[in-house]
Amino acid sequence: MTSTPTRAAELRPSGSDEPPMPPAGPLGAMARRAAAALSFRTIGSAYVWLLIAVLFSVWAPDTFPTVTTVKQVLNGNAVAGLVALSVVLPLAARVFDLSVAYTMSLTSVLTAYFLVSTGLGPATAIALSMTAALLIGVVNGIVVVVLRVDSFIATLATGALIQSLITMVTNDTSITGVQLLATPFSSIAQLDAGGITLPVLYLLLAATAIWFLLEHTASGRRLYATGFNADAARLQGVRTDRLRFLTLVASALLSGFAGVVFASSVGSGSPTAGTPYLLSAYAAAFVGATQLRAGRFNAWGTVIAVLLLGTGITGLGLATSAQWAASLFTGSVLIVALVLTGGRIALPAVLRRRRPPHHSASSTVDGSGAVPAGEGPR
């Protein structure tokens, strides 16, 4: 009896047309993993960061390529990194928190107010300021999760309320005093080791904690599931409302801590401390979503993006560029990041739709192997 060749046999290439097989064995697997990890699609921002460093080294050869500049980039962007990390968890759950800048400003002025005007000790002043940040997170969670107000509008409104409180406390003037310059409060941000200040360590610790939460815990997987498709996650038993509530609380606490660090760093409580950090925080978060974990907001990608933006802004300052150049640079990077994020999310689905049926890991009900539109990985 003559057997009928299978479809897989019909499609199997033969002769000189057969594509070369990838290297086999452990070395081949390691080479493929290394190539994927170092590809531009995975760490493109690192290559752009290197390109920016080379550009400014040529533009300002006397001031930019120095160890002092490296320390300036790290120390000067640690607070910005904390604010950027504060929005990663809400964004992972598809929640916007636009109140982070106002929360940072509030804790900055409250800490200074309690130290200077009331004579409280640093520990008590910081505890009261962080309590205020916690309350802001709870209010945001109630408005967004319980009252079902869109997070973009709700946190923007909360920010306006916080700004009114800041104005009431400060009358739009910075709070200064010798208490802010004395130890142990000043040591929170000004203590250094080899020229690297403590806020850099805070940034690394916060990034490590968020990375571990998102990548190595069940809560992190549920958080990503909530952001990708909240309805599907809810049907699988994920408590999406509780996760979104907690992300807003965590965001407020981390941005509030950034305000305390800022007050210790500059020695004053500024009513506009957080305003310059809002755009750069979201720019870094969206650029970070194109790195390491494509299409996912993640901690280390955000840190890389913060340092990329910081290097560009520092380089523009050392090259004595116009004052508007820094805002132009940050805004341009954010636009490019949004474009790349959208493309990177959609690209795998497109590739899978074009893949031959016999290569599909799974097929649809009709056996075609095509992935329905919008169901590819995000």
Side-chain angles (χ1 to χ4, degrees):
M1 180 180 294
T2 303
S3 61
T4 304
T6 63
R7 180 174 179 80
E10 292 173 357
L11 296 176
R12 186 183 301 115
S14 60
S16 59
D17 294 333
E18 184 174 355
M21 296 296 293
L27 291 179
M30 291 176 60
R32 289 192 297 271
R33 287 195 295 267
L38 297 176
S39 68
F40 187 85
R41 292 174 58 85
T42 304
I43 55 170
S45 287
Y47 296 120
V48 174
W49 184 15
L50 179 61
L51 178 62
I52 290 174
V54 172
L55 174 63
F56 283 111
S57 296
V58 175
W59 190 356
D62 297 330
T63 56
F64 186 82
T66 63
V67 176
T68 302
T69 301
V70 174
K71 295 178 181 178
Q72 181 180 350
V73 170
L74 291 175
N75 296 334
N77 293 279
V79 173
L82 290 173
V83 180
L85 288 176
S86 73
V87 304
V88 169
L89 291 178
L91 286 175
R94 198 178 290 182
V95 176
F96 281 89
D97 186 358
L98 298 183
S99 67
V100 290
Y102 303 98
T103 304
M104 176 183 170
S105 298
L106 180 65
T107 55
S108 171
V109 299
L110 284 181
T111 303
Y113 175 79
F114 289 136
L115 283 174
V116 175
S117 301
T118 66
L120 295 175
T124 305
I126 293 172
L128 291 175
S129 299
M130 293 303 296
T131 300
L134 175 62
L135 291 176
I136 291 172
V138 171
V139 170
N140 281 337
I142 292 174
V143 175
V144 173
V145 178
V146 179
L147 301 182
R148 303 294 179 182
V149 179
D150 181 81
S151 62
F152 193 96
I153 303 299
T155 56
L156 189 62
T158 305
L161 295 176
I162 298 170
Q163 187 59 52
S164 66
L165 178 60
I166 293 171
T167 303
M168 181 179 66
V169 173
T170 65
N171 198 25
D172 281 336
T173 58
S174 296
I175 301 175
T176 58
V178 293
Q179 296 89 338
L180 299 171
L181 303 175
T183 56
F185 181 73
S186 61
S187 301
I188 293 175
Q190 299 180 23
L191 191 66
D192 69 274
I196 304 298
T197 57
L198 277 181
V200 178
L201 176 62
Y202 305 149
L203 174 64
L204 295 178
L205 291 176
T208 302
I210 294 175
W211 164 78
F212 184 82
L213 172 66
L214 291 177
E215 301 296 335
H216 295 283
T217 66
S219 296
R221 292 189 290 272
R222 295 186 185 111
L223 195 62
Y224 277 134
T226 300
F228 290 159
N229 192 324
D231 293 333
R234 192 180 301 109
L235 291 175
Q236 292 296 321
V238 177
R239 297 181 178 179
T240 57
D241 286 346
R242 184 176 69 173
L243 286 175
R244 294 168 70 211
F245 191 102
L246 291 176
T247 60
L248 288 169
V249 173
S251 175
L253 288 174
L254 189 52
S255 59
F257 177 69
V260 174
V261 174
F262 180 86
S264 173
S265 176
V266 301
S268 68
S270 172
T272 59
T275 304
Y277 292 102
L278 184 59
L279 177 60
S280 61
Y282 276 92
F286 277 98
V287 172
T290 69
Q291 303 303 300
L292 304 180
R293 301 284 288 168
R296 294 186 178 187
F297 295 98
N298 63 90
W300 293 115
T302 301
V303 172
I304 292 174
V306 167
L307 296 178
L308 183 156
L309 292 170
T311 301
I313 294 173
T314 301
L316 290 171
L318 294 175
T320 63
S321 60
Q323 294 183 351
W324 48 262
S327 297
L328 177 64
F329 176 78
T330 303
S332 300
V333 169
L334 178 56
I335 292 175
V336 172
L338 289 171
V339 174
L340 290 178
T341 303
R344 291 291 298 276
I345 292 174
L347 184 58
V350 173
L351 293 178
R352 290 187 66 183
R353 282 198 295 269
R354 294 178 178 178
R355 188 178 297 169
H358 65 286
H359 285 163
S360 257
S362 59
S363 58
T364 55
V365 176
D366 62 2
S368 64
V371 177
E375 294 187 12
R378 304 185 185 184

